């Protein structure tokens, strides 16, 4: 029996993708003149835009390799593509219009065919251009509360929730997070961490030799691994959000799995702070000043709107009798905010010292200024980790951040 092309997995290049789309799907007429471009800028996958030249009609093909793009030698299960497609479809139900539409996914070729969001930009890029978005805090908190709370034992049938925990096991991508967020940045165990000149001693004394910090991060690491609280996006940084003046579209949930809710909230806040400190290191003008104030206000709003919406939604959707006990909702929420503060600290530190940097830092041209803001962010991060149990509302976050402005 002959195996036809696309009946067996291989890593596709641009010409294969056009052939694949025309052979497998009917989005375009058979005569359509199609062009294709690989536009992905992430660490893991290939993202192809296929466009009909005459009409401009286009779709996205997201394709997973068995190895990371960077050819790191790290093999990652291509099942992440299935997880991602299923999560996006579930999130569309819970937060309508806030994720890209998925048309299909192919478990053989490890591809997802999805809406092309040409009217949107990746949020990280817009933030580096000092653009502000007045509705962002409201939009992202709706997304977070709706997608997270509904997936918990508070709301779901406990049997169904346990099935979901199994269905969304994501061991390879969780392993990346366990190593790159919760281990390597605090001990440099593989010797791969690196920092800009002038940072070595500071990182040694403030991070690697700080045994109190390491203990708190160890607690956070095992909470991440053991606390199957909610179905997380799992990598909700500003590069996973498309944005324009009207709307956000959260994408790229390939790290999704059941973990502590604060993980997603923390990522959103951490990457706003990276943009703020990029601005501090790069510009000295009124626009930058306004941008930095907007970031602070947005962080404050995100925490407080999350709390408000969570409290309201909890009462609407709670099904478990014991979870209705007076005081339990507040107890549960306090834990989420404390987790958020601790994970926020880990995310800040890991992007500064670890291998997965962010362009908000690498694009700072003046190395002295970069080192200066990185030291300040490390100080902020440590405060969040060490004091997380007393951090409860938006103002508590801002009070720490403002100490190092
Ligand atoms: C090898 S992947 C490195 C990082 O990129 C992803 O976006 C995740 O944040 C991961 O930690
Ligand atoms: Mg990603």
């Amino acid at each position: 029996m002959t195996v036809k092309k696309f009946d067996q997995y291989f890593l596709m290049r641009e010409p294969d993708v056009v052939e694949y789309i025309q052979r497998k799907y009917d989005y375009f007429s058979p005569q359509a003149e199609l062009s294709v471009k690989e536009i992905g800028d992430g660490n893991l996958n290939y993202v192809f835009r296929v466009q009909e030249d005459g009409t401009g009609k286009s779709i996205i093909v997201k394709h997973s390799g068995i190895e990371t793009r960077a050819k790191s030698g790290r093999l990652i299960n291509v099942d992440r593509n299935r997880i991602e497609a299923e999560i996006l479809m579930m999130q569309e139900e819970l937060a309508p219009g806030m994720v890209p539409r998925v048309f299909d996914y192919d478990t053989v070729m490890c591809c997802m065919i999805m809406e092309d969001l040409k009217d949107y930009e990746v949020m990280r890029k817009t933030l580096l251009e000092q653009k502000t978005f007045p509705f962002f805090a409201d939009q992202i908190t709706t997304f977070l509360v709706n997608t997270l709370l509904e997936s918990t034992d508070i709301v779901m049938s406990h049997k169904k929730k346990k099935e979901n925990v199994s269905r969304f096991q994501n061991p390879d991508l969780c392993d990346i997070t366990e190593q790159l967020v919760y281990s390597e940045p605090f001990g440099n165990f593989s010797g791969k961490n690196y920092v800009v000149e002038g940072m070595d001693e500071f990182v040694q004394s403030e991070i690697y030799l700080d045994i109190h910090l390491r203990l708190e991060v160890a607690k956070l690491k095992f909470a991440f691994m053991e606390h199957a609280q909610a179905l997380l996006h799992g990598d909700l940084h500003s590069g996973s959000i498309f944005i324009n003046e009207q709307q956000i579209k959260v994408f790229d949930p390939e790290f999704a799995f059941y973990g502590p809710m604060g993980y997603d909230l923390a990522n959103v806040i951490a990457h706003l702070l990276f943009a703020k400190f990029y601005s501090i290191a790069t510009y000295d003008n009124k626009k930058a000043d306004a941008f930095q104030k907007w970031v602070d206000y947005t962080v404050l709003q995100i925490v407080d709107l999350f709390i408000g919406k969570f409290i309201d939604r909890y009462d609407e959707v709670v099904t478990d009798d014991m979870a209705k006990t007076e005081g339990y909702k507040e107890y549960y929420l306090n834990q989420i905010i404390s987790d958020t503060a601790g994970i926020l600290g880990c995310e800040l530190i890991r992007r500064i010292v670890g291998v997965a940097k962010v362009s908000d830092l690498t694009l700072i041209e003046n190395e002295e200024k970069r080192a200066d803001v990185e030291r300040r962010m490390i100080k902020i991060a440590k405060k969040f980790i060490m004091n997380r149990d007393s951090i409860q509302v938006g103002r508590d976050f801002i009070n720490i951040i403002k100490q190092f402005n």
Side-chain angles (χ1 to χ4, degrees):
M1 196 179 77
T2 48
V3 180
K4 288 205 227 108
K5 192 172 179 182
F6 310 120
D7 284 350
Q8 199 171 351
Y9 176 81
F10 67 95
L11 187 63
M12 292 196 284
R13 302 290 175 205
E14 288 176 348
D16 304 308
V17 174
V18 172
E19 193 183 338
Y20 171 78
I21 280 294
Q22 288 300 61
R23 188 112 53 99
K24 291 265 192 182
Y25 297 99
D26 58 4
Y27 296 112
F28 302 102
S29 78
Q31 297 76 32
E33 294 280 335
L34 299 182
S35 54
V36 58
K37 194 166 182 328
E38 207 284 302
I39 56 169
D41 63 356
N43 292 311
L44 302 180
N45 303 297
Y46 299 86
V47 180
F48 298 93
R49 169 176 284 144
V50 183
Q51 179 161 313
E52 184 172 7
D53 294 337
T55 62
K57 183 178 164 189
S58 59
I59 51 163
I60 293 294
V61 179
K62 184 167 175 181
H63 180 45
S64 305
I66 53 173
E67 202 188 338
T68 62
R69 279 182 77 127
K71 302 274 179 291
S72 61
R74 186 188 269 275
L75 298 181
I76 32 177
N77 195 326
V78 283
D79 188 43
R80 68 186 189 276
N81 214 259
R82 186 232 2 130
I83 291 183
E84 180 168 355
E86 289 184 13
I87 299 276
L88 283 174
M89 292 189 238
M90 283 167 65
Q91 288 175 338
E92 175 59 29
E93 301 272 310
L94 297 168
M98 289 191 159
V99 294
R101 266 181 299 144
V102 175
F103 301 128
D104 196 18
Y105 70 98
D106 173 349
T107 50
V108 175
M109 290 308 297
C110 304
C111 274
M112 185 162 50
I113 322 293
M114 54 203 291
E115 177 184 15
D116 187 4
L117 296 165
K118 278 191 193 156
D119 299 338
Y120 289 74
E121 288 183 285
V122 174
M123 190 175 185
R124 188 182 305 285
K125 176 176 169 286
T126 66
L127 295 178
L128 297 187
E129 291 163 0
Q130 315 291 285
K131 287 188 190 154
T132 58
F133 296 91
F135 309 124
F136 177 67
D138 185 37
Q139 291 163 335
I140 196 70
T141 49
T142 296
F143 176 83
L144 288 166
V145 171
N146 288 12
T147 58
L148 295 172
L149 185 54
E150 308 275 335
S151 67
T152 66
D153 281 305
I154 303 287
V155 179
M156 288 188 78
S157 122
H158 298 169
K159 286 184 184 166
K160 179 80 187 128
K161 189 253 181 178
K162 286 181 180 64
E163 276 171 29
N164 267 4
V165 173
S166 306
R167 184 169 151 215
F168 297 110
Q169 290 287 339
N170 201 348
D172 288 349
L173 296 213
C174 285
D175 181 57
I176 292 178
T177 304
E178 289 150 24
Q179 297 303 321
L180 298 192
V181 179
Y182 289 105
S183 294
E184 290 297 330
F186 301 94
N188 198 16
F189 304 107
S190 319
K192 289 185 182 153
N193 291 350
Y194 62 97
V195 283
V196 288
E197 216 179 296
M199 285 286 288
D200 272 321
E201 269 180 35
F202 184 84
V203 168
Q204 276 289 338
S205 62
E206 290 290 328
I207 301 177
Y208 301 153
L209 296 176
D210 187 338
I211 51 167
H212 304 291
L213 177 70
R214 195 180 295 188
L215 173 62
E216 294 313 310
V217 175
K219 292 178 194 171
L220 288 161
K221 174 175 181 172
F222 290 98
F224 175 82
M225 295 170 74
E226 294 168 358
H227 191 191
Q229 183 178 40
L231 185 53
L232 310 181
H233 175 285
D235 198 26
L236 221 180
H237 53 71
S238 55
S240 297
I241 301 170
F242 281 120
I243 196 161
N244 63 23
E245 299 287 319
Q246 287 83 39
Q247 182 59 293
I248 57 167
K249 300 268 183 186
V250 176
F251 67 108
D252 218 8
E254 64 193 329
F255 281 76
F257 90 114
Y258 263 89
M261 248 187 238
Y263 195 84
D264 282 352
L265 193 49
N267 263 268
V268 173
I269 296 171
H271 289 260
L272 284 166
L273 294 181
F274 287 125
K276 172 180 168 175
F277 280 93
Y278 167 82
S279 171
I280 291 175
T282 309
Y283 302 107
D284 183 11
N285 55 37
K286 274 192 179 163
K287 187 176 176 189
D289 197 41
F291 175 77
Q292 291 156 27
K293 287 199 170 81
W294 173 78
V295 169
D296 285 344
Y297 182 59
T298 302
V299 169
L300 177 95
Q301 274 198 308
I302 286 174
V303 176
D304 291 343
L305 285 173
F306 178 89
I307 292 171
K309 290 180 190 183
F310 187 93
I311 286 172
D312 292 346
R313 187 105 186 119
Y314 189 105
D315 292 335
E316 281 166 25
V317 293
V318 60
T319 56
D320 184 282
D321 290 330
M322 291 302 283
K324 294 176 189 166
T325 306
E326 199 182 328
Y328 187 73
K329 177 175 61 181
E330 289 72 20
Y331 163 83
Y332 192 87
L333 186 56
N334 284 352
Q335 188 58 52
I336 294 170
I337 302 300
S338 151
D339 289 347
T340 301
I343 299 163
L344 166 58
C346 296
E347 180 66 15
L348 291 176
I349 288 177
R350 75 105 161 195
R351 299 288 186 177
I352 296 169
V353 310
V355 292
K357 308 282 190 214
V358 279
S359 52
D360 313 47
L361 300 178
T362 58
L363 288 176
I364 299 172
E365 284 169 11
N366 181 321
E367 282 217 347
E368 264 177 46
K369 286 192 176 167
R370 175 168 166 188
D372 173 55
V373 292
E374 289 188 350
R375 279 192 288 268
R376 287 197 251 168
M377 279 188 277
I378 288 173
K379 291 273 188 196
I380 290 175
K382 289 182 69 172
K383 291 248 174 202
F384 277 120
I385 293 170
M386 301 309 288
N387 302 314
R388 64 189 182 284
D389 287 338
S390 57
I391 296 171
Q392 289 302 306
V393 292
R395 182 49 55 197
D396 298 335
F397 284 75
I398 295 305
N399 286 344
I400 291 181
I401 295 162
K402 286 211 164 155
Q403 286 172 33
F404 301 94
N405 266 353

